[in-house]
Amino acid sequence: MDSEIFYKSASALNNLLDSGELTSVELAKAVIERTRSVDGKLNAFISFDEEKTINEAVQSDMRRKTGKKLSNLDGIPVGIKDLISERGQTLTCGSKILGGYVSPYDATVIERMRNAGCVLWGRLNMDEFAMGSSNENSYYGKVANPWDISRVPGGSSGGSAAAVASGETILALGSDTGGSIRQPAAFCGIVGLKPTYGAVSRYGIVAFASSLDQIGPMGRSIEDVATLFHVISGHDDRDSSSYPVDKTHHSIESVKNKRIKTIGIPTEYFEEGLDPEIRRLIDDAVSFYKNAGHRIREVSLTMTAYTMAVYYVIATAEASSNLARFDGVRYGYRSENPKDAVDLYYKTRGEGFGSEVKRRIMLGTYVLSNENFESYYLRAQKVRTLIRNDFMEAFKNVDLLITPVTPSPAFKIGEKSADPLQMYLSDIYTISVNLAGLCALSLPCGLSSNGLPIGLQVIGKPFHEHEILSLAYEFEQAHDFKNMHPPL
Amino acid sequence: MKDKNFDHSVHIENIATLARIHLTDQERQDLTKSLDEILEYFDKLKKVNIEGVEPSAHAFPLYDILRDDEVGTPFDIETALKNAPKRRNNQVIVPKVVE
């Protein structure tokens, strides 16, 4: 047996499980062992329940033995970002304020993964309430990038990305409000998919910004990510933002089929601020597609310069409202000895939230306050319409877009943590996708000269996940990046 | 450049009151500085011509999303109260609200 079983793809593992060369219990033990040996350096997990995980693997082995395999992911370990409810497991959201909270029910995505036989593995570290681009904001400690532990893994799904990249799990779930799946996927050299707004149910996840949040799969290959996406997507009547028509189910075979496409290159994404090495690798990818017969066309996204401001007005406004529920009354952390009932709120929130979460609640409260509502919040919502119009205009002439994921490779831990505005700007290429409700993915497209992974972003029309996956698959098959592993 | 049309004098204490967050002196100082900077950055939105543009609350507005009104299985009391910081007799204990 290959000693590096934890680096195999879910599709390869499925074949081994089918043939009986491997059991799900052996696989679960392999990722547990791997986690024990490397997570001291990475801190990708907030918690895990080994006994429960092994038990789920035992159940899976029994199903396979009796010919009752539920799906090709039956018996495959999937790590869970610690903001998704799994019955009986703790859920911290990377925050002190949810200390001790145990989920009383399953999120829809968890229910669907159970129905597909996935082995629900540990709870993955994240920026507190998914607010951050570096995973330096977790109450449970920073996460390190497996490619260089002095650097950040990206955020907010930094634990998910680091765990997938280092073989601590085969697949993971993340969430993406402004780039929180794609940016860490790029920094850690893995594949991350941000599905179309409404494609995956959010029932049972802790909300950050409700008009932007989406759950999505993270893995080491396009096929694995597409397979997990098919398991978790589709309409759910417990989430009123879930799109009522199921448009996302396409077979893995259709993802593997090549179609000639018109690819748009937004000129504004290649202007100042983009690292020249990243620019060169994206240019190489564009040349690859051109040589493969696709049509390349420049497009203009005229509102690009305003997306960051629009995003931080809208996301913080929605966050300030969503996070009002954390008050120390019904669950989670409660401050000791408050003066009275109102003081309980002030102290619990003052002691329970970290500094970045406080900053965003304060910003959101400010932009929603009576005197500022029109000049910030309403104005941002109008500019959001213009940003969406930009994309819809571009999509009249092209099928998909190719862009960088990040302006630079993974930065050093501590490098941007003192300057929130600089930190926010590291999401410049990913946030507009959330504002416009599109689907997008990040896939590895090379290494920088100092050995750090670089991501390529493919952006698609709403509910055209199969198109971006298919285009990415073509690139992946022609390159060998999916077999690159960090030097841990 | 500061836009004179915007008043950036953020009253941290007022916002903290609206947000029900107790801040330390150090936090108050740090937040005043970073909020000023971020709000100044937001000023660039002033330059966009938004005349006649409708606001977007969501990427795809969905209206009248209703599901069938079916009776489900609610949590039992123990499950619903298991996460309460303080409880007694199937109730959540909080500080006295009325005198």
Side-chain angles (χ1 to χ4, degrees):
Chain A
M1 185 76 58
D2 190 331
S3 61
E4 299 203 331
I5 199 84
F6 48 79
Y7 271 142
K8 289 195 182 300
S9 67
S11 50
L13 291 165
N14 176 50
N15 292 335
L16 292 174
L17 290 166
D18 274 349
S19 69
E21 286 168 76
L22 176 74
T23 67
S24 177
V25 170
E26 286 167 346
L27 174 58
K29 285 184 175 163
V31 296
I32 291 169
E33 264 320 297
R34 176 66 173 169
T35 303
R36 284 190 187 289
S37 83
V38 298
D39 210 50
K41 290 186 216 166
L42 301 177
N43 195 32
F45 285 85
I46 289 179
S47 63
F48 51 77
D49 184 339
E50 227 173 275
E51 203 184 313
K52 183 216 73 149
T53 304
I54 296 285
N55 195 31
E56 289 182 14
V58 169
Q59 302 291 320
S60 171
D61 284 335
M62 271 166 52
R63 284 193 296 271
R64 287 211 186 230
K65 257 189 210 146
T66 51
K68 289 177 182 154
K69 177 178 135 179
L70 292 168
S71 78
N72 286 343
L73 291 183
D74 202 330
I76 304 292
V78 184
I80 319 284
K81 186 174 181 178
D82 205 13
L83 49 57
I84 301 172
S85 304
E86 179 187 345
R87 196 179 54 245
Q89 295 297 307
T90 55
L91 180 157
T92 68
C93 236
S95 183
K96 180 182 177 184
I97 211 163
L98 274 166
Y101 178 84
V102 175
S103 298
Y105 68 99
D106 277 340
T108 297
V109 288
I110 295 290
E111 204 175 88
R112 290 186 178 173
M113 291 200 302
R114 282 192 205 281
N115 293 339
C118 299
V119 169
L120 305 174
W121 173 214
R123 314 284 308 172
L124 292 160
N125 208 339
M126 55 182 284
D127 281 303
E128 185 179 0
F129 285 101
M131 296 177 185
S133 311
S134 65
N135 222 128
E136 291 169 287
N137 298 336
S138 170
Y139 180 68
Y140 302 90
K142 299 176 173 84
V143 178
N145 189 316
W147 290 84
D148 175 351
I149 58 169
S150 71
R151 291 176 189 271
V152 305
S156 65
S157 311
S160 302
V164 169
S166 62
E168 293 179 320
T169 185
I170 307 303
L171 283 158
L173 287 185
S175 70
D176 190 314
T177 303
S180 282
I181 286 175
R182 291 160 287 156
Q183 186 252 21
F187 279 5
C188 293
I190 62 159
V191 179
L193 170 68
K194 200 286 299 183
T196 308
Y197 186 76
V200 177
S201 167
R202 288 110 43 103
Y203 176 76
I205 74 158
V206 180
F208 160 16
S210 304
S211 80
L212 304 162
D213 298 339
Q214 264 294 284
I215 298 177
M218 301 168 82
R220 291 185 296 261
S221 77
I222 293 293
E223 183 173 358
D224 285 5
V225 163
T227 307
L228 183 54
F229 172 62
H230 288 165
V231 166
I232 60 173
S233 65
H235 179 249
D236 175 18
D237 63 11
R238 292 175 295 188
D239 174 0
S240 63
S241 71
S242 165
Y243 202 75
V245 185
D246 203 344
K247 294 180 172 181
T248 55
H249 277 93
H250 295 268
S251 67
I252 297 298
E253 275 55 51
S254 89
V255 165
K256 292 181 177 176
N257 284 345
K258 179 179 166 177
R259 309 169 184 78
I260 296 298
K261 293 289 173 195
T262 305
I263 301 170
I265 310 295
T267 47
E268 291 82 358
Y269 283 47
F270 293 84
E271 287 167 359
E272 57 174 327
L274 177 61
D275 180 282
E277 275 195 310
I278 297 185
R279 184 180 177 133
R280 188 176 49 75
L281 286 169
I282 305 295
D283 285 347
D284 289 350
V286 171
S287 303
F288 163 81
Y289 283 117
K290 196 173 178 182
N291 294 335
H294 299 280
R295 294 171 291 267
I296 309 292
R297 192 176 279 188
E298 284 205 351
V299 295
S300 181
L301 298 171
T302 57
M303 303 305 292
T304 301
Y306 304 105
T307 52
M308 185 60 60
V310 170
Y311 174 81
Y312 276 93
V313 172
I314 289 173
T316 58
E318 293 181 7
S320 73
S321 165
N322 274 325
L323 271 59
R325 63 173 61 99
F326 301 102
D327 56 10
V329 173
R330 291 152 300 157
Y331 46 75
Y333 174 78
R334 180 188 285 189
S335 176
E336 296 294 327
N337 308 317
K339 281 204 307 277
D340 51 35
V342 178
D343 196 43
L344 175 82
Y345 300 152
Y346 281 99
K347 287 213 173 108
T348 296
R349 291 161 66 78
E351 294 160 18
F353 289 134
S355 60
E356 182 59 27
V357 173
K358 284 181 192 164
R359 173 162 33 245
R360 296 204 197 185
I361 292 174
M362 294 283 285
L363 256 179
T365 305
Y366 180 84
V367 300
L368 285 179
S369 63
N370 230 344
E371 59 271 35
N372 299 310
F373 180 82
E374 228 172 281
S375 48
Y376 288 104
Y377 186 64
L378 193 61
R379 176 171 280 270
Q381 284 193 317
K382 289 180 179 177
V383 183
R384 181 178 185 176
T385 305
L386 298 175
I387 292 169
R388 184 172 155 75
N389 291 350
D390 251 7
F391 278 99
M392 294 307 126
E393 197 55 42
F395 281 135
K396 282 181 187 165
N397 301 312
V398 299
D399 301 307
L400 343 89
L401 302 170
I402 282 184
T403 78
V405 185
T406 57
S408 73
F411 44 89
K412 291 270 186 188
I413 292 172
E415 187 180 327
K416 298 187 185 198
S417 46
D419 188 346
L421 202 52
Q422 276 312 306
M423 185 71 89
Y424 297 171
L425 287 166
S426 64
D427 292 331
I428 185 86
Y429 304 129
T430 49
I431 45 168
S432 53
V433 166
N434 302 71
L435 289 167
L438 311 169
C439 60
L441 61 78
S442 171
L443 82 153
C445 70
L447 292 179
S448 71
S449 51
N450 52 350
L452 298 171
I454 306 295
L456 172 75
Q457 180 169 234
V458 186
I459 303 174
K461 297 171 186 169
F463 302 106
H464 283 59
E465 278 82 356
H466 61 292
E467 281 195 357
I468 59 172
L469 287 164
S470 171
L471 197 77
Y473 182 79
E474 192 185 339
F475 185 89
E476 182 194 64
Q477 291 305 300
H479 298 82
D480 200 28
F481 302 131
K482 92 173 168 216
N483 296 316
M484 293 187 316
H485 301 303
L488 261 178
Chain B
M1 280 291 284
K2 253 191 172 163
D3 186 327
K4 297 295 169 219
N5 295 326
F6 271 121
D7 175 16
H8 286 293
S9 49
V10 177
H11 301 293
I12 288 292
E13 212 45 63
N14 289 349
I15 311 170
T17 303
L18 288 170
R20 301 284 186 276
I21 295 181
H22 174 78
L23 298 175
T24 62
D25 289 343
Q26 185 62 47
E27 285 177 325
R28 219 170 282 137
Q29 223 172 57
D30 294 347
L31 280 168
T32 305
K33 182 173 167 284
S34 66
L35 258 55
D36 271 347
E37 275 171 28
I38 296 164
L39 289 168
E40 196 178 325
Y41 180 80
F42 286 174
D43 275 0
K44 61 158 69 185
L45 293 178
K46 264 289 200 189
K47 295 185 207 141
V48 185
N49 180 9
I50 50 164
E51 222 181 282
V53 178
E54 288 294 318
S56 297
H58 282 87
F60 318 106
L62 292 172
Y63 299 105
D64 300 330
I65 298 295
L66 298 170
R67 58 177 162 76
D68 293 338
D69 188 15
E70 286 165 354
V71 179
T73 317
F75 288 151
D76 55 65
I77 292 169
E78 181 52 34
T79 307
L81 288 180
K82 208 173 62 189
N83 282 305
K86 281 185 185 160
R87 51 186 284 202
R88 189 175 62 216
N89 301 337
N90 291 341
Q91 293 169 70
V92 176
I93 303 287
V94 291
K96 206 170 188 181
V97 178
V98 281
E99 289 304 323

